[in-house]
């Protein structure tokens, strides 16, 4: 439980996520470090000294300007991943021998993406699994099906290159990007202070509309005020990475790409960057084998819930008492649970994620793993927002029921959900909160449909779509800060709910229920990191789930909802220890 002394100390440096102040003076590092143990400070300093952290220049106004050289070079298509590897290694050697003209100057900075289309469709998750032995940061992000996203992943990329193979083809082709996998970081962005406008600008300076596939993938903590527990410390308050080596799975073909980034002002020179990229490429496997989407048979040795069922019931009933009082504005709070599952054999996070893909229709799949850290994986149905140029979309999702075993039963459950006063209240709180936040920075906000059903393989939810038009692309940071945390994962009003969560929950949510997704030059997309787990080698997994508490909630039924939500993970495991 969070102590009052910690909350008092946190107020000295915490930037509320709904703050709209842009011209902030960066907080002194000495103040920020008061909140973190000495071993976390040492790890942070060691990490920053061994590679380029794009957030290290926040105290220098000149480093807030875009990097000087941003470009994408596309080479002729090849027939296999192995040939794409050869093509990229040759291109990197050529680039090393003929660096950009300004790379040796003291003010040199830039980012260059080299990409080779592959004339066959290979699943990005298969490629990532082939790199399992590498001790490098990695990421994975998969969009939802087209029926659910209305072409959210449409991207313009350069053509396959001209016949001379110089990567400067003049044509372009529009393709549907399905999934992205990456290893190594050309540049990463991490800090232990809350994600700020300055951090957002540090990421955006490496991105450009003209190179739309240069993207920063990552996640942000649910609550930057909460103390960071050991299992989450390598993630910091936020962690983003532009992959060094990236595999893109598209609708009718694939693409292998490498990215080199440098900035002399951040003490990461061209020579360091290109040599580091070559070292990474020497470790990458060119062999890709189709991954069997099933978890090897294992058994659960222990399954420990935090909080316990008894504590949960007490917390929910206490929250209901607070909600019913006339002297409080609180109408909803979302409590979560962490379940540590210890298995007889290690759980491979990529195999687990591949299994989640099988029932991932209308959901995002993601994986984020900083160096020497657990893997944060998830299969979330909830979109936080998607922005393309000035157009922005969001969703309201609340209320949960299981799917029926037959169509008539499923329809009856749907009607029950649509007519439930308790679920209607919970859903309306979420929808109206998102609508008001969009109206603060958007024009022409539309809600359509206002209330419908989203069906997933195991559950169904109340659902609404919202859309608007930003007045300025720089309002993206305000949208992110304002929409997170939504009433769907925190409660309403936000601050009252957040305080109650901090006083009640006895574990660190980390990135669970936080924004997870990517920033691009003219486009970005974030999901809400629910239906997720933190997979630790040798320590099993922490599986997270939450449920909304409103007037009319029942503690026992809410506990059953938690079990339903984590079932997509637990169904892949045996729930008992084998008898001797």
């Amino acid at each position: 439980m969070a102590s009052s002394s910690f909350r008092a100390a946190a107020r000295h440096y915490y930037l509320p996520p709904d703050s709209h102040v842009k011209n902030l003076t960066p907080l002194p590092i000495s103040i920020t470090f008061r909140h973190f143990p000495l071993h976390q400070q040492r790890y942070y300093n060691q990490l920053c000294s061994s590679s380029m952290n794009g957030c290290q220049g926040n105290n220098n106004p000149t480093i807030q300007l875009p990097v000087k050289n941003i470009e994408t070079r596309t080479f002729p298509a090849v027939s296999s991943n192995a040939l794409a590897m050869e093509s990229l290694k040759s291109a990197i050697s050529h680039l090393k021998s003929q660096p950009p003209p300004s790379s040796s100057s003291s003010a040199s900075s830039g980012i260059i993406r080299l990409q080779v289309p592959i004339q066959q469709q290979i699943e990005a998750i298969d490629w990532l699994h082939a790199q399992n032995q590498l001790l490098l940061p990695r990421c994975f992000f998969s969009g939802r099906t087209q029926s659910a996203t209305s072409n959210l992943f449409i991207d313009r990329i350069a053509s396959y290159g001209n016949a001379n193979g110089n990567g400067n083809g003049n044509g372009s082709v529009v393709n549907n990007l399905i999934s992205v996998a990456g290893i190594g970081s050309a540049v990463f962005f991490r800090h232990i202070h809350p994600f700020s406008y300055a951090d957002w600008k540090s990421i955006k300076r490496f991105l450009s509309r003209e190179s739309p596939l240069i993207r920063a993938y990552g996640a942000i903590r649910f609550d930057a005020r909460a103390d960071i527990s050991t299992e989450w410390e390598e993630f910091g308050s936020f962690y983003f990475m532009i992959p060094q080596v990236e595999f893109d799975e598209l609708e009718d073909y694939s693409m292998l790409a490498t990215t080199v980034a440098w900035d002399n002002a951040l003490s990461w020179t061209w020579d360091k960057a290109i040599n580091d990229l070559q070292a990474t490429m020497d470790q990458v496997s060119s062999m890709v084998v189709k991954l069997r989407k099933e978890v090897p048979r294992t058994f659960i040795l222990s399954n420990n819930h935090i909080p316990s069922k008894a504590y949960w019931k007490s917390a929910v009933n206490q929250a209901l008492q607070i909600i019913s009082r006339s002297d409080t504005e609180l109408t909803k709070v979302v409590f979560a649970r962490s379940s540590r599952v210890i298995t007889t054999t290690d759980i491979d996070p990529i195999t687990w994620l591949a299994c989640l893909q099988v029932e991932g229709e209308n959901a995002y799949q993601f994986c984020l793993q900083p160096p020497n850290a657990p893997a944060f994986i998830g299969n979330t149905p909830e979109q936080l927002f998607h922005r393309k140029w000035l157009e922005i979309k969001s969703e309201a999702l609340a209320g949960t029921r299981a799917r029926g075993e037959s169509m008539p039963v499923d329809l009856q459950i749907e009607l029950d959900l649509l007519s439930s006063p308790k679920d209607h209240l919970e859903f309306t709180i979420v929808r109206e909160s998102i609508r008001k936040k969009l109206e603060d920075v958007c024009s022409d906000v539309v809600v359509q449909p206002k209330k419908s059903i989203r069906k997933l393989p195991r559950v169904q939810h109340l659902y609404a779509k919202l859309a608007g038009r930003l007045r300025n692309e720089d309002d993206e940071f305000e949208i992110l800060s304002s929409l997170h945390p939504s009433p769907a994962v925190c409660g309403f009003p936000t601050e009252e709910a957040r305080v109650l969560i901090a006083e009640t929950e006895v574990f660190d949510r980390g990135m669970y229920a936080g924004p997870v997704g990517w920033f691009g030059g003219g486009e970005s997309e974030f999901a809400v990191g629910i239906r997720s787990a933190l997979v630790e080698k040798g320590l099993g997994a922490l599986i997270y789930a939450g449920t909304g508490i409103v007037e009319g909630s029942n503690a026992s039924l809410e506990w059953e909802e938690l079990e339903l939500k984590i079932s997509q993970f637990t169904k892949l495991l045996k729930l008992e220890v084998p008898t001797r």
Side-chain angles (χ1 to χ4, degrees):
M1 186 173 296
S3 68
S4 58
S5 60
F6 163 68
R7 289 196 298 274
R11 285 196 294 270
H12 290 298
Y13 64 87
Y14 173 66
L15 172 66
D18 57 355
S19 172
H20 300 316
V21 180
K22 293 183 178 179
N23 299 318
L24 299 171
T25 301
L27 297 166
I29 296 299
S30 60
I31 292 178
T32 305
F33 278 157
R34 290 178 188 171
H35 170 45
F36 296 90
L38 182 61
H39 73 279
Q40 291 187 5
Q41 299 178 37
R42 288 171 178 165
Y43 172 82
Y44 179 76
N45 293 333
Q46 179 184 5
L47 186 66
C48 293
S49 64
S50 61
S51 57
M52 182 165 68
N53 184 348
C55 291
Q56 287 303 97
N58 284 358
N59 292 328
N60 186 343
T62 62
I63 303 182
Q64 292 301 304
L65 299 174
V67 296
K68 291 180 168 58
N69 183 21
I70 302 178
E71 64 175 298
T72 296
R73 303 181 185 181
T74 308
F75 297 89
V78 297
S79 59
S80 68
N81 182 62
L83 291 175
M85 282 284 294
E86 291 181 15
S87 177
L88 286 176
K89 285 183 176 181
S90 175
I92 293 168
S93 297
H94 179 76
L95 193 59
K96 186 176 182 179
S97 65
Q98 297 186 21
S102 62
S103 60
S104 59
S105 72
S106 60
S108 176
S109 62
I111 184 166
I112 300 175
R113 174 182 164 104
L114 311 174
Q115 57 189 30
V116 178
I118 303 170
Q119 295 169 325
Q120 59 172 309
Q121 188 185 44
I122 301 170
E123 290 192 42
I125 196 115
D126 292 341
W127 179 87
L128 188 60
H129 188 263
Q131 320 306 326
N132 245 6
Q133 301 306 313
L134 302 186
L135 299 177
L136 293 168
R138 56 184 175 176
C139 64
F140 178 87
F141 192 83
S142 179
R144 297 185 297 190
T145 57
Q146 285 298 299
S147 60
T149 60
S150 300
N151 297 325
L152 295 191
F153 268 77
I154 294 297
D155 282 292
R156 296 183 184 275
I157 62 173
S159 73
Y160 285 174
N162 60 24
N164 295 325
N166 60 11
N168 295 321
N170 296 320
S172 65
V173 62
V174 177
N175 279 278
N176 178 18
L177 184 58
I178 298 172
S179 301
V180 173
I183 59 168
S185 57
V187 53
F188 72 94
F189 308 88
R190 176 192 182 275
H191 216 293
I192 52 179
H193 68 221
F195 188 68
S196 68
Y197 181 75
D199 298 315
W200 176 76
K201 292 292 286 185
S202 294
I203 295 174
K204 297 295 283 188
R205 65 189 292 259
F206 286 90
L207 308 176
S208 167
R209 286 188 178 193
E210 284 66 45
S211 292
L213 292 185
I214 297 179
R215 295 173 171 177
Y217 297 89
I220 302 171
R221 282 178 64 81
F222 168 77
D223 188 351
R225 290 178 299 183
D227 198 4
I228 298 180
S229 58
T230 303
E231 67 268 20
W232 286 107
E233 66 182 26
E234 285 86 353
F235 290 80
S237 280
F238 59 90
Y239 181 87
F240 287 87
M241 58 181 280
I242 298 178
Q244 269 186 319
V245 186
E246 179 180 310
F247 194 92
D248 299 334
E249 175 189 345
L250 294 104
E251 194 170 57
D252 50 7
Y253 68 99
S254 310
M255 185 153 56
L256 187 66
T258 61
T259 300
V260 58
W262 73 100
D263 191 338
N264 289 357
L266 294 174
S267 301
W268 192 250
T269 65
W270 165 262
D271 288 338
K272 283 183 180 179
I274 198 71
N275 289 333
D276 193 52
L277 176 57
Q278 283 189 314
T280 298
M281 285 294 285
D282 287 341
Q283 301 176 64
V284 174
S285 172
S286 61
M287 294 292 294
V288 179
V289 179
K290 187 69 175 176
L291 181 61
R292 293 181 62 188
K293 294 188 177 181
E294 58 182 49
V295 175
R297 181 172 293 273
T298 187
F299 295 90
I300 293 179
L301 294 174
S302 64
N303 185 8
N304 182 41
H305 299 307
I306 300 177
S308 66
K309 192 170 185 178
Y311 184 103
W312 170 267
K313 287 185 176 181
S314 174
V316 170
N317 289 332
Q318 183 181 17
L320 289 171
Q321 290 178 9
I322 295 172
I323 290 170
S324 66
R325 288 193 333 224
S326 59
D327 61 345
T328 181
E329 295 182 355
L330 187 70
T331 57
K332 176 183 178 180
V333 66
V334 178
F335 285 154
R337 186 186 74 182
S338 168
S339 301
R340 180 174 287 281
V341 176
I342 306 296
T343 55
T344 53
T345 58
D346 278 342
I347 298 171
D348 174 35
I350 304 304
T351 302
W352 216 0
L353 188 61
C355 295
L356 295 178
Q357 277 191 308
V358 174
E359 57 175 77
E361 184 182 355
N362 291 349
Y364 299 93
Q365 291 83 43
F366 63 84
C367 172
L368 185 66
Q369 187 170 21
N372 305 310
F376 180 47
I377 66 171
N379 182 48
T380 172
E382 188 168 347
Q383 180 189 78
L384 186 64
F385 75 90
H386 172 261
R387 179 189 70 85
K388 188 161 189 179
W389 315 133
L390 293 176
E391 303 299 324
I392 191 159
K393 298 177 183 178
S394 186
E395 296 176 352
L397 202 70
T400 304
R401 292 287 191 279
R403 294 296 303 272
E405 295 182 356
S406 64
M407 188 174 295
V409 173
D410 194 60
L411 180 59
Q412 184 58 51
I413 294 173
E414 173 186 332
L415 294 174
D416 176 63
L417 179 57
L418 285 168
S419 60
S420 163
K422 177 262 181 185
D423 291 292
H424 177 74
L425 171 62
E426 182 181 351
F427 172 73
T428 302
I429 290 171
V430 173
R431 184 191 63 203
E432 292 307 297
S433 172
I434 295 173
R435 180 182 61 80
K436 291 175 182 177
K437 289 176 179 179
L438 287 177
E439 287 175 344
D440 288 340
V441 291
C442 291
S443 58
D444 305 322
V445 174
V446 176
V447 183
Q448 187 65 35
K450 289 183 170 56
K451 181 179 175 182
S452 63
I453 292 287
R454 165 160 287 178
K455 291 183 181 289
L456 301 168
R458 306 176 71 80
V459 295
Q460 47 191 319
H461 304 283
L462 295 175
Y463 165 74
K465 282 185 178 182
L466 301 94
R469 183 175 178 83
L470 292 175
R471 300 181 182 95
N472 189 302
E473 282 194 37
D474 274 1
D475 289 336
E476 177 181 71
F477 173 75
E478 293 191 23
I479 281 289
L480 176 60
S481 302
S482 178
L483 289 180
H484 173 73
S486 80
V489 294
C490 181
F492 187 83
T494 301
E495 193 54 32
E496 285 83 347
R498 193 201 312 271
V499 169
L500 183 55
I501 290 170
E503 292 175 344
T504 304
E505 290 186 354
V506 288
F507 68 95
D508 179 17
R509 288 193 182 191
M511 267 63 180
Y512 163 71
V516 55
W518 52 270
F519 292 110
E523 187 176 8
S524 56
E525 183 164 24
F526 280 84
V528 181
I530 57 174
R531 317 289 159 86
S532 53
L534 192 67
V535 184
E536 303 176 85
K537 187 174 179 61
L539 294 174
L542 289 166
I543 307 174
Y544 301 94
T547 182
I549 310 302
V550 297
E551 183 181 358
S553 293
N554 177 282
S556 297
L557 294 179
E558 301 299 339
W559 183 270
E560 291 177 10
E561 183 174 318
L562 296 176
E563 294 293 312
L564 177 63
K565 287 177 175 176
I566 71 167
S567 64
Q568 61 175 324
F569 289 97
T570 57
K571 75 180 183 67
L572 302 173
L573 307 170
K574 286 285 184 179
L575 297 181
E576 72 282 340
V577 179
T579 55
R580 295 185 181 276

